[in-house]
Amino acid sequence: MSDHALRLLREQPHLAELAAFPFNFDLTRADHGEAVRLASGCPLEAVAGDDTGGTYFVCGDGSVLYADSEGSAGIIGNSVDEALEVLVGLPGWHDHLGLAPADGEEKIRAAVAETEEEIREYHGIDDERTELRAGLGLPARSPVELIGLLHAALLRTEPDFLLLNAEEGGAHDLLDRHPRPPLWETVLARGRTDLTLLREGSAWDEVAGDRARRALTLRAAQFDRREGDLRCCGIC
């Protein structure tokens, strides 16, 4: 987890101005307008916004979640530094949410180049990108690398980083439409890990003593019951 770039933006007004325009990460717009929370219950802090009404949040583990004004949200970076790499390296990132590494280098580079040419018709981005990267110490990654980072981050949104309305509990839509395994597989993955530990004869106290972990392990065992589970696991 790293928030080095965020500290620099807060300390150096010129860099903050560059981040706000042309890269639309504006520290003065850190007001989402409605109370929200993460499905996991982990902390959530609004740190910036954009000119479309979207908000950038830092989660408890340092991940950056973006929520737009239309009711969609998703993780866009594992840290503020990584999220800013994406925003600065892909100023049209909203248009690239459907891209994935599997699309191949040629398609990715062509899509990014087309979007950036459209942006340049209205304002510069090249000198500003070079200056902001240097000021924040961000590497100059290729569009292909950046799409890989963005794609991997988006897929981490479910289940822990789903954004909920704090009052009504309704979940925001996902930012992207990439295919994912069924949500139950993601949720039960932790239970499967603990089930393996129990079968190996370790982690009994940790798993049995935690209600949530015990419940997930029991559920995982229902999908993968083996001879000897009652003897080795006790809770299965």
Side-chain angles (χ1 to χ4, degrees), residues 153-205:
L154 289 167
L155 294 183
R156 292 180 54 234
T157 304
E158 289 185 307
D160 291 342
F161 299 101
L162 283 175
L163 191 65
L164 309 179
N165 179 283
E167 296 180 359
E168 300 174 359
H172 285 54
D173 294 331
L174 296 174
L175 279 177
D176 67 279
R177 297 294 179 265
H178 292 298
R180 290 168 165 80
L183 187 54
W184 65 266
E185 289 188 7
T186 303
V187 173
L188 286 185
R190 298 172 186 175
R192 289 195 178 102
T193 299
D194 283 339
L195 183 59
T196 298
L197 292 174
L198 292 176
R199 284 169 175 162
E200 294 171 350
S202 60
W204 165 261
D205 290 338

Tab-separated table of all heavy atoms in Angstrom, residues 153-205:
chain	number	residue	atom	x	y	z
A	153	ALA	N	-7.591	-4.663	-11.088
A	153	ALA	CA	-8.211	-3.942	-9.970
A	153	ALA	C	-9.727	-4.046	-10.024
A	153	ALA	O	-10.384	-4.295	-9.005
A	153	ALA	CB	-7.773	-2.482	-9.996
A	154	LEU	N	-10.296	-3.876	-11.193
A	154	LEU	CA	-11.756	-3.953	-11.329
A	154	LEU	C	-12.291	-5.299	-10.871
A	154	LEU	O	-13.347	-5.372	-10.220
A	154	LEU	CB	-12.151	-3.703	-12.791
A	154	LEU	CG	-11.982	-2.284	-13.316
A	154	LEU	CD1	-12.102	-2.266	-14.840
A	154	LEU	CD2	-13.015	-1.343	-12.695
A	155	LEU	N	-11.570	-6.370	-11.182
A	155	LEU	CA	-12.037	-7.705	-10.825
A	155	LEU	C	-11.986	-7.969	-9.322
A	155	LEU	O	-12.571	-8.940	-8.840
A	155	LEU	CB	-11.215	-8.768	-11.564
A	155	LEU	CG	-11.374	-8.812	-13.084
A	155	LEU	CD1	-10.567	-9.956	-13.669
A	155	LEU	CD2	-12.837	-8.928	-13.496
A	156	ARG	N	-11.305	-7.102	-8.582
A	156	ARG	CA	-11.234	-7.254	-7.124
A	156	ARG	C	-12.428	-6.623	-6.419
A	156	ARG	O	-12.567	-6.745	-5.193
A	156	ARG	CB	-9.951	-6.607	-6.583
A	156	ARG	CG	-8.660	-7.314	-6.981
A	156	ARG	CD	-7.449	-6.595	-6.380
A	156	ARG	NE	-7.612	-6.444	-4.939
A	156	ARG	CZ	-7.533	-5.275	-4.291
A	156	ARG	NH1	-7.311	-4.158	-4.951
A	156	ARG	NH2	-7.674	-5.223	-2.984
A	157	THR	N	-13.297	-5.951	-7.138
A	157	THR	CA	-14.374	-5.199	-6.499
A	157	THR	C	-15.297	-6.088	-5.673
A	157	THR	O	-15.636	-5.753	-4.536
A	157	THR	CB	-15.190	-4.431	-7.554
A	157	THR	OG1	-14.313	-3.577	-8.310
A	157	THR	CG2	-16.266	-3.583	-6.883
A	158	GLU	N	-15.725	-7.198	-6.251
A	158	GLU	CA	-16.599	-8.126	-5.519
A	158	GLU	C	-15.772	-9.141	-4.742
A	158	GLU	O	-14.741	-9.597	-5.235
A	158	GLU	CB	-17.504	-8.893	-6.493
A	158	GLU	CG	-18.577	-8.079	-7.142
A	158	GLU	CD	-19.494	-8.941	-7.986
A	158	GLU	OE1	-18.972	-9.678	-8.852
A	158	GLU	OE2	-20.709	-8.895	-7.781
A	159	PRO	N	-16.207	-9.507	-3.539
A	159	PRO	CA	-17.396	-9.012	-2.827
A	159	PRO	C	-17.117	-7.876	-1.839
A	159	PRO	O	-17.990	-7.119	-1.486
A	159	PRO	CB	-17.863	-10.257	-2.072
A	159	PRO	CG	-16.575	-10.958	-1.728
A	159	PRO	CD	-15.642	-10.705	-2.889
A	160	ASP	N	-15.856	-7.779	-1.363
A	160	ASP	CA	-15.571	-6.885	-0.234
A	160	ASP	C	-15.718	-5.409	-0.551
A	160	ASP	O	-16.032	-4.602	0.334
A	160	ASP	CB	-14.149	-7.139	0.288
A	160	ASP	CG	-14.011	-8.479	0.973
A	160	ASP	OD1	-15.052	-9.044	1.340
A	160	ASP	OD2	-12.879	-8.959	1.129
A	161	PHE	N	-15.469	-5.039	-1.817
A	161	PHE	CA	-15.442	-3.623	-2.157
A	161	PHE	C	-16.708	-3.145	-2.874
A	161	PHE	O	-16.706	-2.069	-3.479
A	161	PHE	CB	-14.206	-3.303	-3.003
A	161	PHE	CG	-12.922	-3.589	-2.276
A	161	PHE	CD1	-12.194	-4.743	-2.539
A	161	PHE	CD2	-12.447	-2.718	-1.311
A	161	PHE	CE1	-11.010	-5.015	-1.866
A	161	PHE	CE2	-11.260	-2.968	-0.631
A	161	PHE	CZ	-10.543	-4.126	-0.907
A	162	LEU	N	-17.767	-3.934	-2.817
A	162	LEU	CA	-19.038	-3.436	-3.316
A	162	LEU	C	-19.441	-2.219	-2.498
A	162	LEU	O	-19.369	-2.227	-1.268
A	162	LEU	CB	-20.116	-4.508	-3.213
A	162	LEU	CG	-20.105	-5.617	-4.267
A	162	LEU	CD1	-21.155	-6.656	-3.931
A	162	LEU	CD2	-20.348	-5.047	-5.655
A	163	LEU	N	-19.865	-1.170	-3.172
A	163	LEU	CA	-20.254	0.061	-2.487
A	163	LEU	C	-21.757	0.052	-2.236
A	163	LEU	O	-22.543	-0.191	-3.157
A	163	LEU	CB	-19.864	1.278	-3.323
A	163	LEU	CG	-19.967	2.632	-2.622
A	163	LEU	CD1	-18.973	2.726	-1.464
A	163	LEU	CD2	-19.733	3.772	-3.618
A	164	LEU	N	-22.122	0.304	-0.979
A	164	LEU	CA	-23.524	0.273	-0.584
A	164	LEU	C	-23.986	1.645	-0.130
A	164	LEU	O	-23.206	2.426	0.430
A	164	LEU	CB	-23.738	-0.715	0.579
A	164	LEU	CG	-23.195	-2.129	0.427
A	164	LEU	CD1	-23.497	-2.926	1.689
A	164	LEU	CD2	-23.773	-2.813	-0.802
A	165	ASN	N	-25.252	1.939	-0.372
A	165	ASN	CA	-25.871	3.118	0.234
A	165	ASN	C	-25.974	2.870	1.733
A	165	ASN	O	-26.515	1.852	2.168
A	165	ASN	CB	-27.258	3.351	-0.378
A	165	ASN	CG	-27.952	4.551	0.218
A	165	ASN	OD1	-28.469	4.490	1.332
A	165	ASN	ND2	-27.987	5.637	-0.534
A	166	ALA	N	-25.447	3.788	2.524
A	166	ALA	CA	-25.356	3.563	3.965
A	166	ALA	C	-26.718	3.482	4.635
A	166	ALA	O	-26.871	2.802	5.662
A	166	ALA	CB	-24.518	4.666	4.614
A	167	GLU	N	-27.725	4.140	4.082
A	167	GLU	CA	-29.042	4.163	4.720
A	167	GLU	C	-29.928	3.017	4.248
A	167	GLU	O	-30.555	2.325	5.054
A	167	GLU	CB	-29.722	5.501	4.449
A	167	GLU	CG	-28.990	6.696	5.060
A	167	GLU	CD	-29.690	8.000	4.777
A	167	GLU	OE1	-30.734	7.972	4.087
A	167	GLU	OE2	-29.208	9.052	5.236
A	168	GLU	N	-29.982	2.786	2.944
A	168	GLU	CA	-30.887	1.779	2.403
A	168	GLU	C	-30.213	0.426	2.172
A	168	GLU	O	-30.896	-0.596	2.038
A	168	GLU	CB	-31.485	2.284	1.086
A	168	GLU	CG	-32.273	3.588	1.241
A	168	GLU	CD	-32.733	4.139	-0.093
A	168	GLU	OE1	-32.414	3.501	-1.123
A	168	GLU	OE2	-33.384	5.197	-0.102
A	169	GLY	N	-28.889	0.424	2.078
A	169	GLY	CA	-28.173	-0.829	1.891
A	169	GLY	C	-28.089	-1.320	0.461
A	169	GLY	O	-27.524	-2.377	0.211
A	170	GLY	N	-28.666	-0.578	-0.493
A	170	GLY	CA	-28.604	-0.995	-1.889
A	170	GLY	C	-27.194	-0.912	-2.446
A	170	GLY	O	-26.440	0.004	-2.118
A	171	ALA	N	-26.817	-1.893	-3.267
A	171	ALA	CA	-25.470	-1.943	-3.829
A	171	ALA	C	-25.376	-1.156	-5.129
A	171	ALA	O	-26.295	-1.171	-5.948
A	171	ALA	CB	-25.056	-3.389	-4.073
A	172	HIS	N	-24.253	-0.468	-5.319
A	172	HIS	CA	-23.964	0.170	-6.596
A	172	HIS	C	-23.685	-0.898	-7.654
A	172	HIS	O	-23.235	-2.002	-7.337
A	172	HIS	CB	-22.735	1.079	-6.475
A	172	HIS	CG	-22.996	2.364	-5.754
A	172	HIS	ND1	-23.553	2.427	-4.500
A	172	HIS	CD2	-22.764	3.651	-6.125
A	172	HIS	CE1	-23.652	3.688	-4.125
A	172	HIS	NE2	-23.195	4.443	-5.087
A	173	ASP	N	-23.931	-0.576	-8.901
A	173	ASP	CA	-23.543	-1.459	-9.994
A	173	ASP	C	-22.024	-1.486	-10.106
A	173	ASP	O	-21.326	-0.603	-9.600
A	173	ASP	CB	-24.140	-0.965	-11.315
A	173	ASP	CG	-25.648	-1.062	-11.343
A	173	ASP	OD1	-26.202	-1.957	-10.667
A	173	ASP	OD2	-26.275	-0.228	-12.025
A	174	LEU	N	-21.509	-2.490	-10.797
A	174	LEU	CA	-20.080	-2.530	-11.096
A	174	LEU	C	-19.756	-1.552	-12.207
A	174	LEU	O	-20.585	-1.289	-13.086
A	174	LEU	CB	-19.663	-3.936	-11.516
A	174	LEU	CG	-19.812	-5.030	-10.450
A	174	LEU	CD1	-19.495	-6.391	-11.056
A	174	LEU	CD2	-18.917	-4.752	-9.259
A	175	LEU	N	-18.536	-1.022	-12.191
A	175	LEU	CA	-18.111	-0.111	-13.257
A	175	LEU	C	-17.976	-0.829	-14.592
A	175	LEU	O	-18.189	-0.236	-15.647
A	175	LEU	CB	-16.744	0.509	-12.909
A	175	LEU	CG	-16.691	1.687	-11.962
A	175	LEU	CD1	-15.232	2.075	-11.721
A	175	LEU	CD2	-17.472	2.879	-12.511
A	176	ASP	N	-17.603	-2.083	-14.550
A	176	ASP	CA	-17.294	-2.830	-15.760
A	176	ASP	C	-18.251	-3.996	-15.942
A	176	ASP	O	-19.044	-4.297	-15.056
A	176	ASP	CB	-15.861	-3.365	-15.701
A	176	ASP	CG	-15.727	-4.420	-14.613
A	176	ASP	OD1	-15.581	-4.056	-13.429
A	176	ASP	OD2	-15.791	-5.614	-14.938
A	177	ARG	N	-18.144	-4.660	-17.099
A	177	ARG	CA	-18.967	-5.827	-17.398
A	177	ARG	C	-18.102	-7.041	-17.741
A	177	ARG	O	-18.505	-7.921	-18.488
A	177	ARG	CB	-19.915	-5.505	-18.562
A	177	ARG	CG	-20.912	-4.399	-18.250
A	177	ARG	CD	-21.886	-4.839	-17.164
A	177	ARG	NE	-22.848	-3.781	-16.826
A	177	ARG	CZ	-22.694	-2.922	-15.838
A	177	ARG	NH1	-21.605	-2.990	-15.066
A	177	ARG	NH2	-23.584	-1.996	-15.594
A	178	HIS	N	-16.906	-7.076	-17.182
A	178	HIS	CA	-16.025	-8.210	-17.449
A	178	HIS	C	-16.603	-9.488	-16.835
A	178	HIS	O	-17.203	-9.447	-15.765
A	178	HIS	CB	-14.636	-7.959	-16.863
A	178	HIS	CG	-13.874	-6.861	-17.535
A	178	HIS	ND1	-13.523	-6.926	-18.867
A	178	HIS	CD2	-13.407	-5.677	-17.068
A	178	HIS	CE1	-12.864	-5.829	-19.192
A	178	HIS	NE2	-12.784	-5.061	-18.126
A	179	PRO	N	-16.429	-10.625	-17.499
A	179	PRO	CA	-16.923	-11.890	-16.922
A	179	PRO	C	-16.177	-12.225	-15.650
A	179	PRO	O	-14.979	-11.970	-15.519
A	179	PRO	CB	-16.632	-12.912	-18.032
A	179	PRO	CG	-15.547	-12.296	-18.859
A	179	PRO	CD	-15.776	-10.813	-18.816
A	180	ARG	N	-16.903	-12.786	-14.710
A	180	ARG	CA	-16.349	-13.180	-13.419
A	180	ARG	C	-16.871	-14.557	-13.048
A	180	ARG	O	-17.926	-14.959	-13.513
A	180	ARG	CB	-16.768	-12.191	-12.327
A	180	ARG	CG	-16.120	-10.812	-12.421
A	180	ARG	CD	-16.846	-9.853	-11.483
A	180	ARG	NE	-16.125	-8.624	-11.240
A	180	ARG	CZ	-16.109	-7.592	-12.082
A	180	ARG	NH1	-16.799	-7.662	-13.209
A	180	ARG	NH2	-15.423	-6.499	-11.795
A	181	PRO	N	-16.137	-15.262	-12.165
A	181	PRO	CA	-16.699	-16.502	-11.617
A	181	PRO	C	-17.953	-16.168	-10.818
A	181	PRO	O	-18.135	-15.019	-10.393
A	181	PRO	CB	-15.586	-17.025	-10.695
A	181	PRO	CG	-14.361	-16.271	-11.084
A	181	PRO	CD	-14.817	-14.961	-11.629
A	182	PRO	N	-18.847	-17.142	-10.606
A	182	PRO	CA	-20.002	-16.877	-9.746
A	182	PRO	C	-19.542	-16.318	-8.406
A	182	PRO	O	-18.510	-16.735	-7.872
A	182	PRO	CB	-20.649	-18.262	-9.590
A	182	PRO	CG	-20.179	-19.034	-10.782
A	182	PRO	CD	-18.805	-18.523	-11.088
A	183	LEU	N	-20.308	-15.377	-7.851
A	183	LEU	CA	-19.902	-14.723	-6.613
A	183	LEU	C	-19.719	-15.716	-5.482
A	183	LEU	O	-18.848	-15.541	-4.628
A	183	LEU	CB	-20.941	-13.658	-6.231
A	183	LEU	CG	-20.586	-12.762	-5.036
A	183	LEU	CD1	-19.229	-12.104	-5.239
A	183	LEU	CD2	-21.673	-11.722	-4.821
A	184	TRP	N	-20.519	-16.798	-5.484
A	184	TRP	CA	-20.384	-17.760	-4.386
A	184	TRP	C	-19.011	-18.413	-4.399
A	184	TRP	O	-18.467	-18.765	-3.339
A	184	TRP	CB	-21.487	-18.816	-4.443
A	184	TRP	CG	-21.464	-19.732	-5.635
A	184	TRP	CD1	-22.141	-19.587	-6.796
A	184	TRP	CD2	-20.710	-20.940	-5.765
A	184	TRP	NE1	-21.878	-20.617	-7.654
A	184	TRP	CE2	-20.997	-21.468	-7.034
A	184	TRP	CE3	-19.838	-21.630	-4.939
A	184	TRP	CZ2	-20.425	-22.644	-7.506
A	184	TRP	CZ3	-19.269	-22.804	-5.401
A	184	TRP	CH2	-19.558	-23.300	-6.670
A	185	GLU	N	-18.406	-18.557	-5.594
A	185	GLU	CA	-17.069	-19.136	-5.650
A	185	GLU	C	-16.060	-18.217	-4.989
A	185	GLU	O	-15.151	-18.664	-4.275
A	185	GLU	CB	-16.664	-19.401	-7.096
A	185	GLU	CG	-17.401	-20.552	-7.748
A	185	GLU	CD	-16.820	-20.896	-9.094
A	185	GLU	OE1	-15.763	-20.314	-9.458
A	185	GLU	OE2	-17.397	-21.738	-9.795
A	186	THR	N	-16.204	-16.907	-5.242
A	186	THR	CA	-15.301	-15.939	-4.630
A	186	THR	C	-15.447	-15.927	-3.122
A	186	THR	O	-14.465	-15.910	-2.377
A	186	THR	CB	-15.585	-14.537	-5.189
A	186	THR	OG1	-15.465	-14.560	-6.617
A	186	THR	CG2	-14.625	-13.512	-4.630
A	187	VAL	N	-16.696	-15.931	-2.668
A	187	VAL	CA	-16.953	-15.889	-1.226
A	187	VAL	C	-16.425	-17.148	-0.544
A	187	VAL	O	-15.808	-17.101	0.522
A	187	VAL	CB	-18.458	-15.718	-0.952
A	187	VAL	CG1	-18.747	-15.854	0.537
A	187	VAL	CG2	-18.928	-14.360	-1.463
A	188	LEU	N	-16.657	-18.309	-1.175
A	188	LEU	CA	-16.265	-19.572	-0.558
A	188	LEU	C	-14.774	-19.867	-0.678
A	188	LEU	O	-14.277	-20.808	-0.055
A	188	LEU	CB	-17.055	-20.726	-1.160
A	188	LEU	CG	-18.527	-20.837	-0.747
A	188	LEU	CD1	-19.137	-22.092	-1.332
A	188	LEU	CD2	-18.668	-20.847	0.768
A	189	ALA	N	-14.046	-19.072	-1.461
A	189	ALA	CA	-12.614	-19.325	-1.620
A	189	ALA	C	-11.902	-19.292	-0.271
A	189	ALA	O	-11.003	-20.095	0.005
A	189	ALA	CB	-12.001	-18.300	-2.567
A	190	ARG	N	-12.306	-18.376	0.586
A	190	ARG	CA	-11.675	-18.287	1.908
A	190	ARG	C	-12.015	-19.518	2.745
A	190	ARG	O	-11.171	-20.030	3.476
A	190	ARG	CB	-12.158	-17.022	2.616
A	190	ARG	CG	-11.766	-15.753	1.879
A	190	ARG	CD	-12.412	-14.540	2.504
A	190	ARG	NE	-12.159	-13.349	1.717
A	190	ARG	CZ	-12.682	-12.169	1.988
A	190	ARG	NH1	-13.479	-12.017	3.023
A	190	ARG	NH2	-12.395	-11.119	1.228
A	191	GLY	N	-13.268	-19.973	2.625
A	191	GLY	CA	-13.645	-21.176	3.353
A	191	GLY	C	-12.865	-22.390	2.887
A	191	GLY	O	-12.485	-23.251	3.688
A	192	ARG	N	-12.613	-22.466	1.584
A	192	ARG	CA	-11.845	-23.593	1.050
A	192	ARG	C	-10.414	-23.568	1.586
A	192	ARG	O	-9.820	-24.610	1.864
A	192	ARG	CB	-11.837	-23.552	-0.476
A	192	ARG	CG	-13.181	-23.885	-1.119
A	192	ARG	CD	-12.986	-24.172	-2.600
A	192	ARG	NE	-14.224	-24.530	-3.246
A	192	ARG	CZ	-14.928	-23.711	-4.007
A	192	ARG	NH1	-14.521	-22.462	-4.201
A	192	ARG	NH2	-16.055	-24.113	-4.588
A	193	THR	N	-9.840	-22.358	1.684
A	193	THR	CA	-8.483	-22.225	2.214
A	193	THR	C	-8.415	-22.727	3.646
A	193	THR	O	-7.513	-23.492	4.018
A	193	THR	CB	-8.026	-20.761	2.148
A	193	THR	OG1	-8.015	-20.332	0.784
A	193	THR	CG2	-6.630	-20.605	2.725
A	194	ASP	N	-9.394	-22.312	4.466
A	194	ASP	CA	-9.409	-22.767	5.856
A	194	ASP	C	-9.684	-24.261	5.956
A	194	ASP	O	-9.137	-24.938	6.830
A	194	ASP	CB	-10.467	-21.986	6.650
A	194	ASP	CG	-9.997	-20.584	7.014
A	194	ASP	OD1	-8.770	-20.361	7.017
A	194	ASP	OD2	-10.843	-19.717	7.287
A	195	LEU	N	-10.517	-24.782	5.069
A	195	LEU	CA	-10.802	-26.209	5.063
A	195	LEU	C	-9.529	-26.996	4.785
A	195	LEU	O	-9.267	-28.031	5.418
A	195	LEU	CB	-11.872	-26.524	4.017
A	195	LEU	CG	-12.353	-27.976	3.920
A	195	LEU	CD1	-12.942	-28.443	5.254
A	195	LEU	CD2	-13.381	-28.114	2.796
A	196	THR	N	-8.711	-26.512	3.876
A	196	THR	CA	-7.431	-27.164	3.575
A	196	THR	C	-6.518	-27.153	4.790
A	196	THR	O	-5.853	-28.150	5.105
A	196	THR	CB	-6.738	-26.458	2.398
A	196	THR	OG1	-7.565	-26.555	1.232
A	196	THR	CG2	-5.387	-27.090	2.102
A	197	LEU	N	-6.478	-26.015	5.498
A	197	LEU	CA	-5.650	-25.925	6.699
A	197	LEU	C	-6.090	-26.931	7.754
A	197	LEU	O	-5.266	-27.589	8.396
A	197	LEU	CB	-5.711	-24.506	7.271
A	197	LEU	CG	-5.061	-23.408	6.434
A	197	LEU	CD1	-5.321	-22.043	7.063
A	197	LEU	CD2	-3.561	-23.638	6.281
A	198	LEU	N	-7.412	-27.056	7.937
A	198	LEU	CA	-7.916	-28.008	8.919
A	198	LEU	C	-7.576	-29.437	8.526
A	198	LEU	O	-7.248	-30.280	9.369
A	198	LEU	CB	-9.422	-27.843	9.084
A	198	LEU	CG	-9.891	-26.533	9.749
A	198	LEU	CD1	-11.412	-26.460	9.753
A	198	LEU	CD2	-9.343	-26.412	11.157
A	199	ARG	N	-7.678	-29.734	7.237
A	199	ARG	CA	-7.343	-31.084	6.777
A	199	ARG	C	-5.859	-31.388	6.989
A	199	ARG	O	-5.472	-32.551	7.144
A	199	ARG	CB	-7.702	-31.230	5.307
A	199	ARG	CG	-9.206	-31.388	5.075
A	199	ARG	CD	-9.555	-31.273	3.616
A	199	ARG	NE	-10.981	-31.556	3.403
A	199	ARG	CZ	-11.654	-31.208	2.305
A	199	ARG	NH1	-11.030	-30.555	1.319
A	199	ARG	NH2	-12.930	-31.505	2.186
A	200	GLU	N	-5.046	-30.346	7.000
A	200	GLU	CA	-3.611	-30.530	7.242
A	200	GLU	C	-3.295	-30.571	8.729
A	200	GLU	O	-2.140	-30.772	9.120
A	200	GLU	CB	-2.828	-29.393	6.579
A	200	GLU	CG	-2.908	-29.405	5.063
A	200	GLU	CD	-2.302	-28.158	4.439
A	200	GLU	OE1	-2.002	-27.203	5.197
A	200	GLU	OE2	-2.122	-28.135	3.211
A	201	GLY	N	-4.329	-30.344	9.558
A	201	GLY	CA	-4.135	-30.414	10.998
A	201	GLY	C	-3.660	-29.132	11.634
A	201	GLY	O	-3.148	-29.139	12.763
A	202	SER	N	-3.830	-27.995	10.937
A	202	SER	CA	-3.389	-26.712	11.490
A	202	SER	C	-4.535	-25.717	11.526
A	202	SER	O	-5.592	-25.934	10.929
A	202	SER	CB	-2.244	-26.144	10.650
A	202	SER	OG	-2.660	-25.935	9.313
A	203	ALA	N	-4.340	-24.638	12.249
A	203	ALA	CA	-5.260	-23.494	12.302
A	203	ALA	C	-6.597	-23.814	12.956
A	203	ALA	O	-7.570	-23.089	12.758
A	203	ALA	CB	-5.484	-22.922	10.900
A	204	TRP	N	-6.654	-24.882	13.771
A	204	TRP	CA	-7.922	-25.226	14.397
A	204	TRP	C	-8.468	-24.092	15.256
A	204	TRP	O	-9.617	-23.684	15.126
A	204	TRP	CB	-7.774	-26.488	15.242
A	204	TRP	CG	-8.935	-26.688	16.185
A	204	TRP	CD1	-8.988	-26.387	17.509
A	204	TRP	CD2	-10.230	-27.176	15.837
A	204	TRP	NE1	-10.220	-26.666	18.027
A	204	TRP	CE2	-11.015	-27.154	17.019
A	204	TRP	CE3	-10.807	-27.640	14.648
A	204	TRP	CZ2	-12.328	-27.574	17.056
A	204	TRP	CZ3	-12.123	-28.065	14.685
A	204	TRP	CH2	-12.865	-28.028	15.873
A	205	ASP	N	-7.645	-23.577	16.168
A	205	ASP	CA	-8.110	-22.538	17.091
A	205	ASP	C	-8.560	-21.290	16.343
A	205	ASP	O	-9.581	-20.682	16.678
A	205	ASP	CB	-7.006	-22.174	18.088
A	205	ASP	CG	-6.733	-23.297	19.083
A	205	ASP	OD1	-7.633	-24.135	19.269
A	205	ASP	OD2	-5.625	-23.329	19.652
